[in-house]
């Protein structure tokens, strides 16, 4: 109790502080608490024949306060002071407060002076503390107590009611349905809950308060209007009111519990007597059933058929599945009833129940043990009998199956072993028959176990007195006799196959030897025939001599080849002898080859006929190759003279065209003399053409006596004629250019010297780079654009080379341009005068048109004169005309 009170101390302090704060916030709550607390106090003071009217005035002297505490606690307080003085009143109030504190309630900020002075706030706080301690603290519901326990009790009681959801002690009660639900739950006859409406709280609250006051002796502690008219009803007032409902209903429940307890005792006595009667009846019935069942389970008369034993097993299963389980339940229920009855009697302080003689639980257990022992023995006997009959049926079925399988396997085997298919078989077929026979022997050996198993099963059936043993024995004997016969036939067939295999292997070895020697000999003959008939093509005397030598070597091998032919034919004759001696029925020809002796003899005769024909062909080809060799030597001797002569003349013409000996007229005369000597050489060329014609007719395609072909000679001759003619033409053009441009012989020699110097390849032409280098060496300084312009002049066909004639033409033109430029520069100085510049308009007006346009054209790349008209000074003009290097 002390522990509980110490835990509750803070709980009381907190509500008082809340009360103090709430009162200051909402005066309406003070009114509700004043009315509720007054009604609550009067509900207890009535028991002492008194009441209060004004809660803060009537408790000031402490007398009614002490009386209230004595009524609600059932304890006597200290004797009060009867004086009217203030000190007497404070003493009485202190006694009351001390009593409250003795109950473990810690009063905070509440003193006797405030109560004596009529402080309403302190007085209401004190009454609330008393209510908490004596009306609410002891409420306990499902391990919760005080406020939480009261709230949980309300929630449990009102849970089944629609529109009622109690979550607190203020707004959850405003509609009145919570109060009505509590009354209806305990006294449903007092309120017709179905007619209540959530939207009519005044009616609901008045109904609940009126019914509680009239029928439940709960004073009306609140007005419905106060609750409805307040946004949040006072929690302490509602909690106090609801606690009155809790105590009212819990008191009624205690009275009901007492009445129920008496009825329960009577019902227990009646139930005990009924259990005794039921036990006696159940025990009698169960013992009777056990008595009837044990003889049936002890019957061990065996059955002869599996079907009859299976029917007994099925009956036993029905007993286990259908008949026994209810009896097990009855036995279990009997024991449960007996134990329950004894427990109830012991709890009721009644003497223990003693069943009739022989019907004790121990008697029933003993009888049940005898039943289970008989049942176990019966089950073991059934299983053993079924196993025995199953074994017999299984052995009989196994015998039939194995016998059927064996008989099916042996079906046709005797006929197969008596066949003589080996007499017409080949060696491969004999070997296949032997393999097959070996496989059969393996199969036969494997079936030996089955035959032994069949005999063993028949023996076991005899030992177990199987009802159909005679038929089993007869069938087993037949199988054993047939098995012995198969063994004898198998041995006989093996001997015949091995004997035949040996003969055929000998023949096969001879066939193989024949094939091994006949095949290469046949190939040799076919190769020889092919070589002897092959059309040979040779081009030299050495090649025909090689063919002749090879042919003579071939003829030298013919005697040995004839010996090999006779040995091969001898092998074939030996095979024929064996076949006739042992009467072997040969099924076919030699399996290793298709070459017959007749074919070998025929090809040998053909080879002997082809040899003299080959001799004649080789002799004729040898004579033709000797003639061709004479033609090669004749052509080679002439070509080896003409070819070097043409090459020499080509080199001499090149030197004449490059060298600068004498005047151009001297060079021209020299070249014309060369041309005449070359033309006079033409008859030798024609003679060589005639020899070449004979070589072509003889189909000669190569000539080791010379490296020159007629095509080389023709091309060289044509190039020689073309070169001399072109060289003469170039010299003639140089003479024309010299005369037309007024070039002196010294200048011409200078041009030739420069050209020859940069003609590194000595081809009589300069490529682009060599030509650029040559121009730079004689004073030209140009960019890519200017060089491109020059190349377009000297190489208009863009072949990438510059001839000496084109070089002379360009140099003669540039010499003329230089003279014109000197004239223009002189004119520029005259026209410019002292001012040292001239305008474009002046240049065009004063100079002749060709000179003016030349000047403007030369100036345009450097000054942009066409796009920006203006003055041109001497320096700009000179730079454009002569270049930077001339300044």
């Amino acid at each position: 109790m002390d522990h509980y009170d110490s835990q509750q101390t803070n709980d009381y302090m907190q509500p008082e502080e809340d009360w103090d704060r709430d009162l200051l916030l909402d005066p309406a709550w003070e009114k509700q608490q004043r009315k509720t607390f007054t009604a609550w106090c009067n509900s207890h003071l009535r028991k002492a024949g008194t009441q209060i009217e004004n809660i803060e005035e009537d408790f000031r002297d402490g007398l009614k306060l002490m009386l209230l505490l004595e009524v609600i606690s059932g304890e006597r307080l200290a004797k009060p002071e009867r004086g009217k003085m203030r000190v007497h009143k404070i003493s009485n109030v202190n006694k009351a407060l001390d009593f409250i504190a003795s109950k473990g309630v810690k009063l905070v900020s509440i003193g006797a002076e405030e109560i004596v002075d009529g402080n309403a706030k302190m007085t209401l706080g004190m009454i609330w503390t008393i209510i908490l301690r004596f009306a609410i603290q002891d409420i306990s519901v499902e391990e919760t107590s005080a406020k939480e326990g009261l709230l949980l009790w309300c929630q449990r009681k009102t849970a089944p009611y629609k529109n009622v959801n109690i979550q607190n002690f203020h707004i959850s009660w405003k509609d009145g349905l919570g109060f009505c639900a509590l009354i209806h739950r305990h006294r449903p006859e007092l309120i017709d809950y179905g007619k209540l409406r959530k939207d009519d709280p005044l009616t609901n609250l008045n109904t609940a308060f009126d019914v509680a006051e009239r029928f439940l002796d709960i004073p009306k502690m609140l007005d419905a209007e106060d609750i409805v008219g307040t946004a949040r009803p006072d929690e302490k007032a509602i909690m106090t009111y609801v606690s009155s409902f809790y105590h009212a209903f819990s008191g009624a429940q205690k009275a009901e519990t007492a009445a129920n307890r008496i009825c329960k005792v009577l019902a227990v006595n009646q139930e005990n007597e009924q259990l005794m009667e039921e036990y006696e009846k159940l025990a009698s019935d169960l013992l009777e059933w056990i008595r009837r069942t044990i003889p049936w389970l002890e019957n061990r008369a065996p059955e002869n058929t599996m079907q009859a034993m299976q029917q007994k097993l099925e009956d036993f299963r029905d007993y286990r599945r259908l008949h026994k389980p209810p009896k097990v339940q009855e036995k279990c229920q009997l024991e449960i009833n007996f134990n329950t009855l004894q427990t109830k009697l012991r709890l009721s302080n009644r003497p223990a129940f003693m069943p009739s003689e022989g019907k004790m639980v121990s008697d029933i257990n003993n009888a049940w043990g005898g039943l289970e022992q008989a049942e176990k023995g019966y089950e073991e006997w059934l299983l053993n009998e079924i196993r025995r009959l199953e074994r017999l049926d299984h052995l009989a079925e196994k015998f039939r199956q194995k016998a059927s399988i064996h008989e099916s396997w042996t079906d046709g085997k005797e006929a197969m072993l008596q066949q003589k298919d080996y007499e017409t078989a080949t060696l491969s077929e004999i070997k296949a028959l032997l393999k097959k026979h070996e496989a059969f022997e393996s199969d036969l050996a494997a079936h030996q176990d089955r035959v032994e198993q069949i005999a063993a099963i028949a023996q076991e059936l005899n030992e177990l007195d199987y009802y159909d043993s005679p038929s089993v024995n007869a069938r087993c004997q037949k199988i054993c006799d047939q098995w012995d016969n198969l063994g004898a036939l198998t041995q006989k067939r093996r001997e015949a196959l091995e004997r035949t295999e040996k003969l055929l292997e000998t023949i096969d070895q001879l066939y193989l030897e024949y094939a091994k020697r006949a095949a290469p000999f046949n190939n040799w003959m076919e190769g020889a025939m092919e070589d002897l008939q092959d059309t040979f093509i040779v081009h030299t005397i050495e090649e025909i001599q090689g063919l002749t030598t090879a042919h003579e070597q071939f003829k030298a091998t013919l005697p040995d080849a004839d010996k090999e032919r006779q040995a091969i034919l001898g092998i074939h004759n030996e095979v024929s002898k064996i076949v006739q001696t042992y009467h072997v029925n040969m099924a076919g020809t030699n399996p290793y080859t298709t070459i017959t002796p007749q074919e070998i003899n025929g090809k040998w005769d053909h080879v002997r006929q082809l040899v003299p024909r080959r001799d004649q062909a080789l002799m004729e080809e040898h004579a033709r190759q000797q003639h061709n060799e004479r033609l090669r030597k004749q052509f080679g001797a002439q070509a080896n003279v003409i070819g070097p002569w043409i090459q020499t003349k080509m080199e001499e013409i090149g030197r004449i065209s490059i060298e600068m000996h004498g005047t151009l007229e001297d060079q021209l005369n020299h070249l014309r003399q060369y041309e005449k000597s070359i033309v006079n050489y033409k008859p030798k060329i024609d003679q060589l053409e005639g020899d070449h014609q004979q070589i072509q007719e003889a189909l000669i395609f190569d000539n080791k006596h010379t490296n020159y072909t007629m095509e080389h000679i023709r091309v060289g001759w044509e190039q020689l004629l073309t070169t001399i003619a072109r060289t003469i033409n170039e010299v003639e053009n140089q003479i024309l250019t010299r005369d037309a441009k007024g070039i002196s012989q010294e200048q011409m020699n200078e041009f030739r010297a420069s050209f020859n110097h940069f003609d590194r390849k000595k081809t009589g032409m300069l490529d682009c780079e060599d030509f650029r280098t040559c121009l730079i060496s004689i004073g030209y300084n140009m960019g890519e654009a200017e060089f491109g312009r020059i190349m377009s002049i000297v190489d208009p066909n863009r072949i990438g080379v510059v001839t000496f004639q084109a070089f002379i033409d360009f140099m003669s033109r540039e010499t003329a341009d230089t003279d014109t430029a000197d004239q223009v520069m002189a004119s520029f100085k005259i026209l410019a005068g002292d001012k040292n510049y001239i305008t474009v308009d002046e240049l065009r007006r004063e100079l002749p048109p060709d000179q003016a346009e030349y000047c403007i054209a030369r100036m345009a790349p450097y000054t942009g004169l066409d796009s920006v008209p203006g003055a041109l000074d001497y320096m700009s003009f000179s730079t454009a005309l002569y270049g930077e290097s001339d300044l």
Side-chain angles (χ1 to χ4, degrees), residues 643-707:
W645 182 84
I646 293 174
Q647 184 65 30
T648 300
K649 294 300 179 184
M650 289 287 290
E651 294 174 356
E652 291 177 354
I653 293 171
R655 285 195 300 272
I656 292 173
S657 63
I658 294 174
E659 293 175 354
M660 299 174 291
H661 299 298
T663 65
L664 292 176
E665 285 79 3
D666 294 339
Q667 295 178 20
L668 181 62
N669 291 331
H670 194 188
L671 288 171
R672 285 176 176 168
Q673 292 175 2
Y674 259 83
E675 183 181 23
K676 184 177 181 179
S677 65
I678 289 170
V679 171
N680 293 333
Y681 204 78
K682 184 66 167 60
K684 294 185 178 180
I685 301 298
D686 295 338
Q687 182 180 358
L688 189 63
E689 285 281 3
D691 294 341
H692 178 67
Q693 180 68 28
Q694 293 181 13
I695 287 176
Q696 284 186 324
E697 291 174 355
L699 299 177
I700 299 172
F701 302 106
D702 58 348
N703 191 345
K704 66 180 180 179
H705 301 293
T706 182
N707 292 326

Side-chain angles (χ1 to χ4, degrees), residues 470-702:
S471 61
V472 170
N473 294 334
R475 191 173 185 182
C476 180
Q477 186 61 43
K478 181 180 179 181
I479 290 172
C480 292
D481 294 341
Q482 186 184 34
W483 184 255
D484 294 338
N485 189 35
L486 285 175
L489 292 174
T490 299
Q491 182 61 28
K492 183 177 180 181
R493 180 172 176 80
R494 165 170 281 283
E495 293 173 356
L497 288 172
E498 290 176 347
R499 183 174 59 255
T500 305
E501 180 191 28
K502 188 174 182 180
L503 283 174
L504 291 181
E505 280 182 345
T506 302
I507 295 174
D508 186 72
Q509 289 296 326
L510 292 172
Y511 272 154
L512 182 60
E513 181 67 20
Y514 174 86
K516 287 181 178 179
R517 300 177 69 172
F521 185 73
N522 182 66
N523 291 337
W524 177 84
M525 288 192 297
E526 289 179 350
M529 289 188 292
E530 183 178 352
D531 293 341
L532 291 171
Q533 297 178 90
D534 184 26
T535 302
F536 50 83
I537 298 176
V538 294
H539 302 94
T540 64
I541 188 67
E542 290 82 3
E543 291 178 356
I544 190 61
Q545 289 175 348
L547 289 176
T548 302
T549 301
H551 182 63
E552 292 300 326
Q553 293 174 352
F554 168 74
K555 289 195 294 184
T557 63
L558 289 177
D560 293 335
D562 187 41
K563 291 179 181 179
E564 179 64 16
R565 179 183 66 85
Q566 293 177 2
I568 293 171
L569 295 178
I571 294 172
H572 183 268
N573 294 334
E574 187 175 354
V575 171
S576 300
K577 181 178 179 181
I578 292 173
V579 170
Q580 293 176 1
T581 302
Y582 297 98
H583 305 289
V584 179
N585 187 2
M586 296 301 296
T589 58
N590 191 333
Y592 301 109
T593 183
T594 59
I595 302 172
T596 63
Q598 294 78 12
E599 185 177 355
I600 290 175
N601 288 330
K603 290 181 179 180
W604 176 255
D605 293 340
H606 192 202
V607 167
R608 293 177 64 82
Q609 293 172 5
L610 290 175
V611 169
R613 297 179 190 174
R614 187 69 170 183
D615 291 337
Q616 182 64 32
L618 289 172
M619 291 175 62
E620 293 174 357
E621 181 62 26
H622 188 271
R624 190 175 73 84
Q625 287 300 327
Q626 287 179 336
H627 174 69
N628 291 347
E629 184 65 16
R630 288 193 297 271
L631 291 176
R632 288 190 186 93
K633 290 179 179 180
Q634 181 178 337
F635 177 85
Q638 296 184 60
N640 289 336
V641 173
I642 295 173
W645 182 84
I646 293 174
Q647 184 65 30
T648 300
K649 294 300 179 184
M650 289 287 290
E651 294 174 356
E652 291 177 354
I653 293 171
R655 285 195 300 272
I656 292 173
S657 63
I658 294 174
E659 293 175 354
M660 299 174 291
H661 299 298
T663 65
L664 292 176
E665 285 79 3
D666 294 339
Q667 295 178 20
L668 181 62
N669 291 331
H670 194 188
L671 288 171
R672 285 176 176 168
Q673 292 175 2
Y674 259 83
E675 183 181 23
K676 184 177 181 179
S677 65
I678 289 170
V679 171
N680 293 333
Y681 204 78
K682 184 66 167 60
K684 294 185 178 180
I685 301 298
D686 295 338
Q687 182 180 358
L688 189 63
E689 285 281 3
D691 294 341
H692 178 67
Q693 180 68 28
Q694 293 181 13
I695 287 176
Q696 284 186 324
E697 291 174 355
L699 299 177
I700 299 172
F701 302 106
D702 58 348

Side-chain angles (χ1 to χ4, degrees), residues 795-820:
D795 184 18
N797 295 327
R798 299 181 183 278
I799 61 177
V801 295
V802 179
T803 64
F804 181 68
Q805 183 62 43
F807 179 72
I808 293 174
D809 293 341
F810 171 73
M811 295 304 299
S812 63
R813 181 185 302 176
E814 289 297 308
T815 302
D817 289 345
T818 301
D819 294 340
T820 302

Side-chain angles (χ1 to χ4, degrees), residues 116-159:
V116 172
D117 292 339
N119 187 322
K121 181 182 69 171
M122 294 301 174
T123 303
L124 291 174
M126 179 188 66
I127 298 301
W128 171 242
T129 303
I130 294 170
I131 293 171
L132 279 176
R133 174 61 184 86
F134 295 101
I136 297 175
Q137 176 181 329
D138 294 334
I139 297 174
S140 178
V141 178
E142 296 182 7
E143 297 183 358
T144 61
S145 60
K147 178 182 177 181
E148 289 77 11
L150 181 60
L151 181 62
L152 181 59
W153 177 81
C154 296
Q155 291 172 343
R156 295 288 185 267
K157 296 300 181 179
T158 61

Side-chain angles (χ1 to χ4, degrees), residues 193-447:
Y193 188 84
K195 293 182 178 181
L196 299 177
R197 294 184 298 116
K198 186 176 179 64
D199 58 356
D200 190 6
L202 284 174
T203 302
N204 299 338
L205 289 167
N206 285 325
T207 299
F209 296 164
D210 293 341
V211 169
E213 189 173 22
R214 289 175 57 194
F215 299 102
L216 302 177
D217 197 24
I218 299 174
K220 187 175 182 179
M221 299 181 184
L222 287 171
D223 291 330
E225 292 77 4
D226 293 340
I227 296 177
V228 174
T230 304
R232 185 175 184 270
D234 181 64
E235 183 179 48
K236 300 174 179 62
I238 297 295
M239 194 184 302
T240 302
Y241 208 163
V242 172
S243 67
S244 299
F245 281 83
Y246 173 81
H247 290 296
F249 290 132
S250 63
Q253 187 174 0
K254 291 177 181 177
E256 182 181 355
T257 301
N260 291 336
R261 187 177 294 113
I262 295 172
C263 294
K264 185 176 181 182
V265 171
L266 296 175
V268 168
N269 289 337
Q270 292 177 349
E271 185 180 354
N272 291 341
E273 292 176 0
Q274 185 178 358
L275 286 174
M276 293 176 187
E277 294 176 0
E278 289 179 357
Y279 178 85
E280 290 287 339
K281 185 177 185 306
L282 284 174
S284 300
D285 294 343
L286 185 58
L287 290 170
E288 178 61 24
W289 178 80
I290 293 173
R291 185 186 61 79
R292 294 195 311 268
T293 304
I294 289 178
W296 174 69
L297 293 173
E298 292 178 345
N299 182 15
R300 300 293 191 271
E303 299 291 341
N304 293 326
T305 63
M306 186 66 179
Q307 183 178 2
M309 288 305 298
Q310 286 177 344
Q311 183 59 47
K312 280 195 171 188
L313 180 61
E314 188 64 29
D315 293 343
F316 181 70
R317 287 174 179 170
D318 289 342
Y319 156 77
R320 279 278 187 84
R321 185 174 59 253
L322 302 176
H323 303 301
K324 185 180 179 182
K327 299 303 178 183
V328 174
Q329 288 296 111
E330 290 178 10
K331 177 179 178 294
C332 181
Q333 189 62 43
L334 190 68
E335 294 176 357
I336 291 172
N337 290 349
F338 181 80
N339 293 331
T340 302
L341 177 60
Q342 298 292 47
T343 301
K344 288 182 177 181
L345 292 173
R346 185 172 60 255
L347 294 175
S348 304
N349 293 321
R350 297 285 303 277
F353 168 64
M354 290 298 295
S356 302
E357 185 179 357
K359 296 181 181 178
M360 292 291 291
V361 172
S362 58
D363 298 331
I364 295 173
N365 286 334
N366 292 333
W368 189 265
L371 175 70
E372 289 190 335
Q373 188 63 33
E375 179 183 317
K376 181 179 180 182
Y378 187 68
E379 183 179 18
E380 291 176 355
W381 174 76
L382 278 176
L383 293 176
N384 290 332
E385 281 297 306
I386 288 173
R387 290 191 190 98
R388 184 181 69 83
L389 292 176
E390 280 181 344
R391 177 63 178 167
L392 283 174
D393 289 348
H394 173 71
L395 288 173
E397 181 61 25
K398 188 175 182 180
F399 176 83
R400 286 190 291 271
Q401 289 181 356
K402 288 186 175 293
S404 298
I405 293 172
H406 179 77
E407 290 167 351
S408 175
W409 180 81
T410 58
D411 185 31
K413 294 295 188 294
E414 291 176 324
M416 182 269 292
L417 292 172
Q418 293 175 352
Q419 288 180 350
K420 295 186 178 182
D421 48 354
Y422 53 83
E423 292 182 349
T424 58
T426 62
L427 179 59
S428 60
E429 290 172 345
I430 285 294
K431 290 184 178 295
L433 288 174
L434 269 170
K435 294 292 183 183
K436 183 178 179 181
H437 189 71
E438 289 174 359
F440 173 76
E441 289 177 332
S442 298
D443 197 9
L444 186 70
H447 278 75

